[in-house]
Amino acid sequence: MAAQYAISGTTARGISASVERAVADGGLVPGAALPPVRRLADELGVSPGTVATAYKELRQRGIVVTKGRGGTVVAQAPAVGSRRPPRVPEGVRDLAGGHPDPAFLPELTPPPLVPAVPGSHRASPRLASLEGLAREWFARDGVPAERVTFAHGALDCVGRLLSTELRPGDSVAVEDPGFHHLLDLVPALGLRMVPVAVDDRGMVPEALRTALRAGVRAVVCSPRGQNPVGGCFSRERRDALVEVLGGFPEVLVVEDDHNADVSGAPSYALAAAGLPRWAHVRTVSKHLSVDLRWAALACDGTTLARHDGRLLMTSGWISHVLQETAARLMADGAVRRLVGRAEEAYAERRRALIGQLARHGVAAHGASGLNVWVPVRDEAAVVSGLRSRGWWVAAGARFRIAAPTGVRVTTAELPPADAARLASDFAAVLGESEAVYGG
């Protein structure tokens, strides 16, 4: 077994490094079983405790999981690299990427002049003009904007918050289904994920209560445009979640409002409810440019100090050229009008597909955002069937932990005129897959 899996080493660290290399190189694929502890110990000539320690380290880092009597196996998304989507086949319409329509993105024009900052940029990490725009952006939706800072995108910000707040082995409550890159990031930080069910209004309060009682130290959620289901908080849902969180004041609540300006839903942010530990993150990648890696963060004082302290010790600051570019776009009236048209178009396209699917008796979810989530029994059959008809959609396995199966369809570039044909093809594919299952 050890030779088959190319596992070597005489120390726990050496054994775990050997397994990690095999996973990264593809020698150990997701779902592959590792040898039982005693067997591998005998083959390597080490104690069972040494192998057990190696396996524990691999579990904590999200590379393997233990399935009771099923033994230790490579995780479905091992944290030695992000779970990349399959390559889009030639000749099909790509509805799997989750990206905005380029027609609604303004051109990026580098600023003609960015004034030099005397000494180190660490002394003035944020441009005053952009900081002012960010405060207005948050305050518009009732998010407290007394403490604002910047990051290199939403995931960069969330990762820094979790790594400064938690320690390896701690638990984080995440949406299920949820954003696949976040589901990669959490185990890569050595943290455990506790799934929380979502519906058309975001996190389900009782599911969140269960996770909090299980001892999670942080919660990461989306107030609107939830990916992939498209849920958005109503006032009632927000208030119910705040009530649940009220019993756990030490837990850090991170809201990822990543498509705030094009979600097609009003803001009912948890951050506006006076939580003791909170962070509200917004990025511009969905409405200004996927290449504009800038995010704004509003948060409580303790969280701000920890975030900026870690930022100071790593990248130090966000490029002032990048900040100036973002500020110019955010202050441009023509750009704001273009973003408004994008939000209207995305809502129309999302509703069109949901309506057309409903005509065929197919239930779908997408109250906000750029995607529609369709529950299906066999993800692979649906993806393959739609591919044969010229459509490429995302299998739900990338987004799920314990949630039921489904597929995600990005509607950002799907005009309403094409929704009827896709819905008809979808219904036909579902009929074929149901027939395979015997009805």
Side-chain angles (χ1 to χ4, degrees), residues 37-359:
V37 169
R38 291 189 178 278
R39 182 189 303 169
L40 183 59
D42 289 342
E43 294 177 358
L44 297 179
V46 300
S47 71
T50 299
V51 176
T53 299
Y55 282 10
K56 179 180 179 180
E57 178 182 341
L58 291 165
R59 284 196 303 273
Q60 289 179 337
R61 297 184 50 235
I63 297 174
V64 303
V65 295
T66 299
K67 296 190 172 183
R69 294 184 179 180
T72 299
V73 302
V74 177
Q76 288 302 313
V80 294
S82 180
R83 64 179 93 181
R84 301 181 184 277
R87 185 182 300 276
V88 180
E90 294 184 5
V92 299
R93 183 87 167 269
D94 182 11
L95 303 178
H99 304 304
D101 186 342
F104 290 113
L105 298 177
E107 291 186 2
L108 292 185
T109 304
L113 175 66
V114 177
V117 176
S120 171
H121 281 24
R122 295 174 191 268
S124 54
R126 295 183 293 278
L127 293 182
S129 59
L130 185 56
E131 186 170 349
L133 289 166
R135 292 183 190 279
E136 294 174 5
W137 195 18
F138 289 124
R140 180 189 70 191
D141 293 320
V143 175
E146 293 82 7
R147 302 177 183 87
V148 170
T149 189
F150 301 160
H152 295 94
L155 275 177
D156 171 69
C157 185
V158 173
R160 190 173 295 110
L161 292 171
L162 294 179
S163 65
T164 56
E165 187 73 23
L166 281 66
R167 295 293 177 264
D170 287 344
S171 299
V172 181
V174 297
E175 297 162 331
D176 185 23
F179 184 36
H180 57 293
H181 289 309
L182 177 67
L183 302 188
D184 293 337
L185 175 64
V186 172
L189 295 173
L191 306 173
R192 296 192 303 112
M193 294 187 293
V194 177
V196 176
V198 297
D199 60 18
D200 290 337
R201 290 292 171 255
M203 275 190 167
V204 176
E206 283 308 309
L208 176 59
R209 191 190 307 276
T210 299
L212 290 165
R213 286 175 173 171
V216 301
R217 293 195 55 199
V219 176
V220 182
C221 62
S222 300
R224 51 186 168 176
Q226 194 273 343
N227 187 359
V229 176
C232 53
F233 292 165
S234 63
R235 188 186 304 276
E236 295 75 17
R237 175 58 58 85
R238 188 270 309 274
D239 292 346
L241 292 171
V242 170
E243 182 180 358
V244 171
L245 289 164
F248 302 87
E250 73 285 355
V251 171
L252 175 64
V253 179
V254 181
E255 288 185 285
D256 180 5
D257 198 8
H258 62 280
N259 59 10
D261 286 38
V262 291
S263 66
S267 174
Y268 295 106
L270 296 171
L275 297 173
R277 296 299 315 283
W278 63 278
H280 187 94
V281 187
R282 291 187 177 182
T283 183
V284 297
S285 61
K286 297 300 185 186
H287 69 280
L288 294 184
S289 173
V290 295
D291 199 39
L292 198 58
R293 310 308 297 169
W294 173 80
L297 166 68
C299 55
D300 67 87
T302 298
T303 300
L304 179 71
R306 292 177 178 177
H307 175 277
D308 282 8
R310 182 64 60 88
L311 180 67
L312 184 67
M313 291 185 289
T314 53
S315 54
W317 64 87
I318 312 304
S319 162
H320 282 204
V321 175
L322 179 63
Q323 290 189 47
E324 184 65 36
T325 302
R328 287 159 58 89
L329 290 171
M330 291 178 70
D332 190 317
V335 171
R336 288 197 295 268
R337 290 189 290 274
L338 177 64
V339 172
R341 292 195 297 273
E343 183 173 36
E344 294 174 358
Y346 294 151
E348 180 185 18
R349 294 170 184 183
R350 193 178 62 248
R351 289 194 294 261
L353 179 59
I354 292 173
Q356 290 293 338
L357 287 169
R359 291 183 60 189

